[in-house]
Amino acid sequence: MKIRKRYLSVILTVLVLSLVFSAPVSAREGFAPSMDDEVVFFGTFRLDSGETLEGNLIVFGGVVTLEEESVVTGDVLVFGGNLTASGEVGGNL
């Protein structure tokens, strides 16, 4: 069972890194990573009431809490994690 988990974690890590370090190839408008984005790997992200995150929030295998009156100006993407959103999201969720 430990071997299976190890292989799964290696495959997941390779997949995540290939997604993070790949450049967008589409010319259409939409989600485009920028230097202002917040990226979290297997951790916790909390945006307190009254705080603003300028940009996108991308979370891989983590826990996200957006409290009331918090603002994310971009998109919020959560892969394999949990999201509690009481705040405002300016983009897609």
Side-chain angles (χ1 to χ4, degrees):
M1 192 69 165
K2 287 184 180 183
I3 294 174
R4 225 180 222 176
K5 285 184 180 180
R6 182 178 297 174
Y7 285 122
L8 181 62
S9 66
V10 169
I11 291 170
L12 181 63
T13 302
V14 169
L15 177 64
V16 166
L17 291 175
S18 67
L19 290 173
V20 170
F21 292 111
S22 65
V25 294
S26 176
R28 69 177 177 89
E29 288 187 31
F31 179 77
S34 72
M35 295 302 290
D36 294 330
D37 293 345
E38 183 74 29
V39 180
V40 178
F41 291 97
F42 307 107
T44 302
F45 180 86
R46 181 183 192 94
L47 194 61
D48 292 325
S49 180
E51 291 185 336
T52 300
L53 172 65
E54 298 287 338
N56 301 307
L57 174 60
I58 307 159
V59 179
F60 296 95
V63 177
V64 178
T65 304
L66 305 176
E67 292 191 357
E68 271 188 62
E69 299 180 14
S70 65
V71 178
V72 177
T73 60
D75 297 333
V76 175
L77 295 132
V78 179
F79 298 97
N82 295 319
L83 169 68
T84 303
S86 299
E88 180 182 335
V89 176
N92 295 314
L93 181 63

